[in-house]
Amino acid sequence: MEQTIEQVVRYIYPFTALVGQENMKLALILNAINPKLAGVLIRGEKGTAKSTAVRALAALLPDNQVVAGCLFGCNPDDITTMCISCRERLQGGKELDRAKRKMRVVELPVSATEDRVVGTLDLEEAIKKGEKRFEPGVLAEANRGILYVDEVNLLDDHLVDVLLDSAAMGVNTVEREGVSFTHPANFMLVGTMNPEEGELRPQLLDRFGLCVQIEGILDPGQRVDVIRRRVAFEEDPAKFCSDWEPEQEKLRQRIIAAKKMLPGVQVPDKMLYLIAEIAIEMGVDGHRADLIMMKAAKTMAALQGREEVGEEDIRTTADLALVHRMRRKPFQDLDLDQQKLEDIMGGPSHRHLHAHAHKHEW
Amino acid sequence: MQNRRRFVYPFTALLGQEKMKKALLLNAVNPRLGGVLIRGEKGTAKSTAVRSMAALLPEVPVIAGCPYQCDPFQPGKLCINCKAKYNGELPPFIWRRVQVIDLPVSATEDRVVGSLDFEYAVKHGGRRFEPGLLARANRGVLYVDEVNLLDDHLVDLLLDAAALGVNFVEREGISYSHPAEFILVGTMNPEEGELRPQLIDRFGLCVQIEGETDPTMRVEIIKRREAFDQDPLGFLGKWSEEEEKVRQEIMTARHLLAEVTMTPELEELVTQICTEALVAGHRADLVMVACARTLAAFYGRKEVSESDLHEAAEYVLPHRTREPSPPLQEPEPPEPGEPDEPEETEDEQEQEQQQQQPPEMQENAQEEQDQSPQKAPPQGVPEIVFAVGEPFPVRRISYKVKGILRRGSGRRSRGQTATKSGRYVRSTRRWERQDLAFDATLRAAAPYQKRRRRDGVAVVIELDDLREKVREKRVGNFLLFVVDASGSMGAQQRMVEAKGAILSLLLDAYQKRDRVGMVAFRGEEAEVILPPTNSVERAQKLLEELPTGGRTPLSAGLMKSYEVARAHLYKDPDIRPLLIIISDGKANVSLGEERPLAEAIRAAEMIRDEERFKSLVVDVENSGFLSLGLAQQLAEAMGAEYYKLDDLKADRLVEAVHDVLEA
């Protein structure tokens, strides 16, 4: 077992080698292309490759351009999201040194303390020099990376509040333990949960851009694949990774291409009306669902290499944006009325199957 | 610190939500309106609106270098430093935009009120006050996002400062006070819990917002937001002209405001409206007058019209009206004849509110509204019919205000925890748990550093300096249901009613985020059908499927629940388990050699002897000629509260549970 962990650290299981769970993979890829999609909540049983997928995704993604030496890994080309010190340097006419940084996955353990999450007073600095300095926490580390919260529904309420706050604003404001500090905290929030252990508060649910419900794979053929690949990986990770490298590279290129294409993707008014209608008819709270549906459809179009959003894009992605935003009564399961969604989209109900079949193709 | 400006979506580009926007603008025109509380569902641009309002705020003269932004033209309101420094002369000042200061939900007390300046103390050995958020917020806007999630303790601090306009600090050997007049702006999602009435009343205005339902509007919202996300700078540039226009309007209205007059007739109308709305106190009258005048100025008039008044009422009354106001689902009025000044009553109101305003009820109510134009509930208690696959509906619960002080249960009750988990709110000198509050310890040690021998370090800490964290945690209760599922329960719909009763308790637990567990006994043995969990949903499902039949191994049920509760206590000593035994007490199977009933009584006594348990027996036996009263004997042996299901029904049961928990 020890050895396995070591291997995993060096070699990360390739994203493209993951079997099944198409919805989850799609949601993750869409987020990788468009960080404004605000994260993914993965609901499902244990042992369904949730955290493997998240790590694999990070390994697949291209490196970030960062300001060299910046604690928060600011983007040198985007003044709107910079930390104060980078912004001041730039505005003072200074050139910002650049560096490359791997896409990070920062894990927030359920037992994390608040000071570690938001940051706190730097102990060493205080004792040695008698000076007050901010010691960045998990939120700072996660800036421009992935913040992964396993079992997010078991997180303490007060930590959830903190997450909500920064996730919403992309900024972490610290006013505690003698320090006062603000820094950017734009991260892709990926949470996993097992609904049997309790639900998330609706407010937090809403903050996850997309949501997928996953189950263990039932198809025997696929299950065998899962085992075979896993065994092959564990026996010779180097070979396994290199075998999969062509696939990985293909997907990587697709993501890069989609990223480039995304800003130019048009959303015809007709499609916007369809989205608004879906949101109204399905009875969701607020406007976040509309925005996310649109962004998801747009990103989907970019992934497919199309310059205009079509009904298919909405069809494939709408449920990802809707399932966790439906108004529901206590004790009611999180569920999406697929039939109703289909009716709104005006398609005959059997097209529902097509939508799913389609998902496997991306 | 000044460079905190964020690139936020421009205020003028916000679509719809006219009331929210106007409420914010009115406050920008007239800072004396007392702030605004924005209540609304998630995803309705609440926070965006407040944050973007910062760009529209006017510039005001501020004494240069003063941490409290003193007004050079108001000699009476200067802080101590400025008073001493300028002594009657006109101080040098700069023009600066009014600031919006964020109060994050994770804030600790020292940063809110200010504290000892640690760096200064170490370097110079003196005590100096380091201003906190309240200082920064002086003459500005203090913004609390998710204000209903803020710690009670911090809420109290805010209230004190807001009421006096001054922040008094007495801590860490520092005695200081400074002006703290700020506009309090809060946003909240009522689904997450309600605010205390005292705090609600502090907000001058209140608006309730919802998502737009017009497709064209929604489409436009999507378009604009996407345009902003794609190119924030370009978008801001496009809207800068519009922003400037509104800024000018605000300035014009500000100047006009001083000249706006109001006729005595209208003043009378104000009192009349307020009296009719049954508001408490006089704040409503005052705010309404101010609001109407601001509105008149906003419309460019020098005289308040009647329509201004009616418009003002929409902002001033909703959160103060004490009659049930269906569209807003405002707090219910207290029982008639109940005075409402004393602290305790306030607390009860809060209680009452929490219990009557759980999110789910609001959802239900909202759904009702969607279907029909809402029948206003009769004075007093809302009745919500709730059926979840049960053959009979369970009534929702009314809470009578009693003459005792009640602490809420569940996630709203914040206990100070003995473990190292929970939110750090402040520090104490008591050293018991080895939970070091480093910042406070440093501050305690700082002033003595000059005198202490320092070997290579800047700060020497001695035992006496140690400070410990005081943490607060929202503790729920642990409700362990011990359900008799034997054959005798099947008779005469007893089980159906018992299930209904449990269901109503589960619903309550769901809203309070209590932890629940369930033990059922029938046939020969007892079974833990639900180990302690936060998932009330699962409890509900299991309850639905729970079969009845067989004999009654009561003692086994009691022993099992004793074990479960003990184990839970071991895991989480902060949470006291409440055992809820639902049975007719007719034990007929024993674990050992003893007679079933005697054994059950012994088990009951064990539960009684564990002091950390609380218990409640619900007797499901039909009262009448043939009743044996066994459950009552059981309750006596257990030292439990005893209720008959017949007297209780579902609605009283929840109340009974609260009584036990609070005893």
Side-chain angles (χ1 to χ4, degrees):
Chain A
M1 198 60 210
E2 288 304 327
Q3 206 193 348
T4 324
I5 291 170
E6 285 254 302
Q7 286 167 347
V8 174
V9 172
R10 256 177 292 148
Y11 294 97
I12 290 168
Y13 192 86
F15 190 81
T16 42
L18 289 165
V19 180
Q21 312 299 10
E22 302 302 326
N23 260 346
M24 171 174 73
K25 287 194 274 184
L26 177 62
L28 287 171
I29 287 180
L30 291 179
N31 259 285
I33 298 169
N34 186 357
K36 300 258 170 182
L37 277 176
V40 188
L41 175 65
I42 305 169
R43 299 162 55 93
E45 353 173 333
K46 285 210 168 281
T48 36
K50 289 174 295 204
S51 67
T52 311
V54 175
R55 271 162 230 290
L57 178 76
L60 181 71
L61 294 180
D63 292 351
N64 276 334
Q65 282 280 341
V66 297
V67 175
C70 176
L71 278 177
F72 312 102
C74 286
N75 179 355
D77 300 316
D78 184 5
I79 191 168
T80 59
T81 57
M82 275 182 198
C83 70
I84 293 164
S85 106
C86 285
R87 196 191 293 174
E88 275 170 356
R89 265 156 62 199
L90 193 70
Q91 281 168 341
K94 284 199 190 105
E95 188 75 20
L96 297 171
D97 291 335
R98 285 156 184 268
K100 275 192 173 179
R101 193 176 78 173
K102 276 213 159 312
M103 190 69 171
R104 282 185 177 170
V105 182
V106 179
E107 192 158 340
L108 181 69
V110 172
S111 61
T113 55
E114 199 174 11
D115 53 343
R116 272 303 300 146
V117 176
V118 299
T120 183
L121 182 65
D122 188 331
L123 223 136
E124 214 178 307
E125 200 79 1
I127 292 275
K128 279 202 184 134
K129 302 196 188 135
E131 273 165 25
K132 221 165 45 183
R133 215 177 62 178
F134 174 69
E135 183 182 319
V138 170
L139 291 179
E141 221 179 306
N143 187 33
R144 301 189 63 212
I146 299 173
L147 184 63
Y148 179 65
V149 193
D150 202 12
E151 311 275 359
V152 60
N153 51 336
L154 302 184
L155 212 59
D156 262 352
D157 260 10
H158 66 274
L159 281 179
V160 173
D161 296 344
V162 170
L163 275 189
L164 277 180
D165 221 34
S166 348
M169 295 316 295
V171 174
N172 176 28
T173 307
V174 187
E175 293 290 351
R176 47 183 285 123
E177 300 181 52
V179 283
S180 170
F181 201 81
T182 302
H183 68 78
N186 285 302
F187 45 82
M188 169 175 159
L189 188 60
V190 179
T192 67
M193 62 178 279
N194 184 349
E196 292 201 338
E197 284 162 2
E199 265 305 334
L200 266 184
R201 286 162 35 196
Q203 185 95 349
L204 187 61
L205 269 179
D206 190 47
R207 293 293 156 116
F208 286 96
L210 307 179
C211 174
V212 286
Q213 316 229 46
I214 59 172
E215 283 159 15
I217 298 167
L218 295 176
D219 177 65
Q222 282 196 329
R223 284 192 89 104
V224 171
D225 272 352
V226 172
I227 302 170
R228 275 199 194 130
R229 289 188 190 171
R230 192 73 219 181
V231 169
F233 175 71
E234 274 165 23
E235 272 173 3
D236 189 352
K239 179 168 183 301
F240 189 81
C241 287
S242 79
D243 283 353
W244 280 91
E245 191 46 36
E247 280 292 309
Q248 290 277 92
E249 188 54 30
K250 225 166 85 191
L251 183 54
R252 196 175 290 133
Q253 288 312 324
R254 262 186 93 184
I255 291 175
I256 292 172
K259 254 184 139 108
K260 213 176 265 169
M261 195 162 173
L262 181 66
V265 175
Q266 297 298 313
V267 193
D269 273 11
K270 209 178 126 209
M271 292 300 125
L272 288 176
Y273 275 96
L274 179 61
I275 286 169
E277 198 190 329
I278 292 173
I280 295 166
E281 288 296 317
M282 299 300 283
V284 293
D285 278 340
H287 293 269
R288 212 169 267 126
D290 308 35
L291 285 168
I292 296 291
M293 259 193 282
M294 186 269 292
K295 284 180 202 287
K298 221 172 135 173
T299 315
M300 188 69 202
L303 181 64
Q304 301 288 10
R306 276 188 265 110
E307 278 177 349
E308 199 178 275
V309 168
E311 223 179 284
E312 274 314 299
D313 298 318
I314 298 176
R315 194 184 293 278
T316 334
T317 53
D319 54 341
L320 299 177
L322 286 176
V323 65
H324 54 308
R325 293 196 169 87
M326 307 296 303
R327 276 196 197 119
R328 63 193 183 105
K329 293 196 184 102
F331 304 141
Q332 207 176 347
D333 274 331
L334 212 64
D335 199 15
L336 187 68
D337 189 344
Q338 287 284 359
Q339 185 62 48
K340 190 169 173 190
L341 187 59
E342 283 302 323
D343 291 346
I344 301 165
M345 307 252 280
S349 58
H350 68 263
R351 282 175 71 178
H352 164 60
L353 299 171
H354 285 258
H356 269 261
H358 188 80
K359 244 173 222 171
H360 291 255
E361 283 163 25
W362 53 263
Chain B
M1 226 65 359
Q2 298 305 319
N3 208 340
R4 280 176 183 243
R5 196 168 76 89
R6 295 176 192 164
F7 294 87
V8 280
Y9 190 86
F11 187 87
T12 43
L14 287 170
L15 268 172
Q17 313 298 13
E18 298 304 330
K19 277 186 83 172
M20 168 176 74
K21 286 194 282 185
K22 185 157 306 157
L24 289 170
L25 288 177
L26 291 177
N27 269 287
V29 171
N30 185 357
R32 308 208 60 86
L33 274 184
V36 53
L37 174 67
I38 303 169
R39 297 160 48 101
E41 59 191 41
K42 49 201 178 283
T44 40
K46 300 182 293 277
S47 313
T48 309
V50 180
R51 289 186 160 122
S52 65
M53 167 180 133
L56 294 179
L57 291 172
E59 293 197 331
V60 290
V62 169
I63 294 184
C66 173
Y68 313 102
Q69 297 83 236
C70 283
D71 185 346
F73 301 105
Q74 294 254 5
K77 282 192 179 167
L78 295 186
C79 67
I80 304 171
N81 300 349
C82 290
K83 236 178 228 155
K85 212 157 145 194
Y86 302 113
N87 194 19
E89 300 163 35
L90 182 66
F93 63 88
I94 49 167
W95 287 85
R96 217 181 68 184
R97 180 152 293 158
V98 172
Q99 306 254 309
V100 176
I101 305 296
D102 257 295
L103 178 68
V105 282
S106 65
T108 51
E109 183 189 276
D110 62 305
R111 282 303 309 147
V112 176
V113 298
S115 61
L116 176 95
D117 186 337
F118 152 72
E119 275 184 44
Y120 182 87
V122 170
K123 290 194 175 131
H124 307 279
R127 290 176 199 273
R128 195 170 77 173
F129 178 68
E130 181 177 32
L133 285 174
L134 289 179
R136 281 226 303 276
N138 187 32
R139 298 183 66 211
V141 176
L142 187 66
Y143 173 44
V144 194
D145 194 12
E146 315 278 1
V147 59
N148 48 341
L149 300 182
L150 201 66
D151 266 295
D152 277 1
H153 180 69
L154 289 181
V155 169
D156 289 339
L157 290 173
L158 280 191
L159 284 179
D160 281 352
L164 298 168
V166 179
N167 177 27
F168 288 100
V169 185
E170 292 289 347
R171 47 181 287 150
E172 294 163 349
I174 281 193
S175 177
Y176 199 82
S177 69
H178 66 79
E181 285 184 14
F182 48 87
I183 303 173
L184 192 57
V185 176
T187 51
M188 62 177 275
N189 180 352
E191 280 181 331
E192 302 271 303
E194 273 299 336
L195 265 185
R196 286 162 51 181
Q198 289 128 300
L199 188 57
I200 276 203
D201 191 49
R202 286 286 165 212
F203 290 98
L205 317 181
C206 172
V207 287
Q208 171 94 9
I209 61 174
E210 275 164 25
E212 291 289 336
T213 46
D214 173 37
T216 318
M217 211 54 157
R218 283 188 94 108
V219 166
E220 190 58 28
I221 291 173
I222 310 177
K223 277 188 181 168
R224 284 195 192 170
R225 184 70 215 190
E226 182 66 2
F228 173 77
D229 280 345
Q230 287 209 336
D231 177 15
L233 290 177
F235 192 82
L236 285 167
K238 231 174 76 189
W239 283 89
S240 62
E241 213 170 289
E242 194 66 20
E243 294 273 300
E244 185 54 36
K245 214 178 94 195
V246 175
R247 214 172 283 138
Q248 284 308 322
E249 278 171 24
I250 293 174
M251 282 318 285
T252 319
R254 256 176 114 98
H255 289 305
L256 198 60
L257 183 63
E259 299 169 39
V260 175
T261 56
M262 196 164 161
T263 61
E265 290 81 46
L266 284 181
E267 276 168 5
E268 230 163 81
L269 186 59
V270 169
T271 53
Q272 202 185 320
I273 294 175
C274 287
T275 322
E276 273 169 24
L278 295 173
V279 295
H282 296 275
R283 201 192 304 266
D285 307 45
L286 299 175
V287 178
M288 202 151 133
V289 170
C291 184
R293 289 183 58 224
T294 316
L295 275 164
F298 190 72
Y299 295 131
R301 278 187 270 105
K302 286 189 180 172
E303 191 160 316
V304 176
S305 73
E306 201 180 318
S307 70
D308 292 338
L309 267 193
H310 289 296
E311 195 178 345
E314 287 176 34
Y315 297 101
V316 177
L317 295 181
H319 54 307
R320 298 198 168 90
T321 304
R322 296 202 286 172
E323 223 163 18
S325 136
L328 274 173
Q329 284 133 39
E330 276 302 312
E332 295 291 330
E335 292 286 299
E338 194 76 29
D340 72 318
E341 322 84 276
E343 181 66 30
E344 286 150 62
T345 327
E346 294 274 11
D347 257 5
E348 281 159 22
Q349 280 184 12
E350 174 204 344
Q351 273 306 313
E352 189 188 32
Q353 211 182 83
Q354 283 172 18
Q355 287 153 346
Q356 293 193 346
Q357 298 285 132
E360 286 70 28
M361 272 186 49
Q362 295 203 343
E363 273 177 27
N364 284 348
Q366 246 164 30
E367 268 158 36
E368 263 179 28
Q369 262 178 43
D370 292 346
Q371 287 152 10
S372 66
Q374 172 78 29
K375 320 162 267 276
Q379 173 92 23
V381 188
E383 274 191 7
I384 289 190
V385 176
F386 191 88
V388 230
E390 288 293 336
F392 74 105
V394 180
R395 271 212 299 148
R396 273 299 297 167
I397 297 88
S398 85
Y399 291 87
K400 284 198 214 91
V401 177
K402 283 193 193 153
I404 46 156
L405 190 131
R406 277 206 197 125
R407 279 306 288 152
S409 66
R411 78 193 182 98
R412 290 299 228 80
S413 82
R414 294 159 205 234
Q416 282 170 12
T417 60
T419 50
K420 283 190 191 179
S421 64
R423 239 177 66 64
Y424 168 33
V425 273
R426 58 182 185 280
S427 59
T428 172
R429 250 193 121 132
R430 274 217 314 266
W431 185 254
E432 288 165 355
R433 291 176 294 117
Q434 318 281 315
D435 189 6
L436 180 71
F438 185 62
D439 58 318
T441 304
L442 277 180
R443 284 195 296 268
Y448 309 106
Q449 296 307 314
K450 283 259 159 187
R451 273 177 273 144
R452 290 183 187 166
R453 253 177 53 114
R454 289 188 272 185
D455 295 320
V457 293
V459 182
V460 179
I461 291 170
E462 290 178 1
L463 216 53
D464 220 27
D465 306 325
L466 294 183
R467 296 289 182 276
E468 195 174 85
K469 285 179 177 170
V470 175
R471 294 175 185 268
E472 279 188 352
K473 193 178 182 182
R474 296 170 193 153
V475 273
N477 297 295
F478 172 44
L479 309 183
L480 181 60
F481 295 91
V482 188
V483 186
D484 184 345
S486 66
S488 61
M489 296 287 288
Q492 293 169 340
Q493 295 269 303
R494 303 313 278 164
M495 197 58 191
V496 177
E497 279 180 32
K499 277 188 177 183
I502 299 171
L503 187 63
S504 65
L505 282 174
L506 282 177
L507 204 78
D508 194 56
Y510 175 90
Q511 287 151 4
K512 303 278 162 49
R513 290 173 204 272
D514 287 334
R515 200 167 293 169
V516 294
M518 205 183 290
V519 171
F521 54 96
R522 66 190 187 104
E524 300 297 321
E525 53 178 18
E527 191 189 353
V528 182
I529 57 173
L530 181 69
T533 171
N534 287 325
S535 177
V536 178
E537 291 93 338
R538 269 191 74 201
Q540 188 264 347
K541 279 204 193 89
L542 286 167
L543 178 71
E544 232 169 74
E545 292 159 8
L546 182 68
T548 14
R551 307 207 290 157
T552 314
L554 179 57
S555 46
L558 294 179
M559 288 311 292
K560 188 64 98 185
S561 60
Y562 179 82
E563 282 164 26
V564 172
R566 271 292 285 271
H568 188 267
L569 206 52
Y570 188 70
K571 240 171 54 186
D572 203 338
D574 290 330
I575 301 181
R576 303 270 162 105
L578 170 64
L579 278 56
I580 302 169
I581 294 102
I582 298 146
S583 173
D584 52 13
K586 291 175 187 156
N588 54 21
V589 179
S590 50
L591 286 167
E593 300 297 309
E594 254 177 296
R595 277 189 16 253
L597 201 61
E599 197 183 67
I601 297 286
R602 269 207 318 136
E605 282 164 358
M606 270 179 75
I607 292 174
R608 182 194 61 201
D609 291 342
E610 173 54 84
E611 280 170 5
R612 289 169 297 179
F613 291 176
K614 287 172 176 171
S615 53
L616 184 149
V617 172
V618 180
D619 187 353
V620 291
E621 190 185 34
N622 271 328
S623 40
F625 186 61
L626 286 173
S627 77
L628 300 168
L630 295 175
Q632 192 164 10
Q633 281 179 35
L634 189 75
E636 276 162 19
M638 207 182 292
E641 297 278 326
Y642 170 79
Y643 293 94
K644 281 191 90 67
L645 186 63
D646 288 329
D647 315 333
L648 273 177
K649 292 296 176 205
D651 49 350
R652 270 272 297 138
L653 185 57
V654 177
E655 198 181 332
V657 165
H658 283 280
D659 285 346
V660 176
L661 285 173
E662 281 135 24

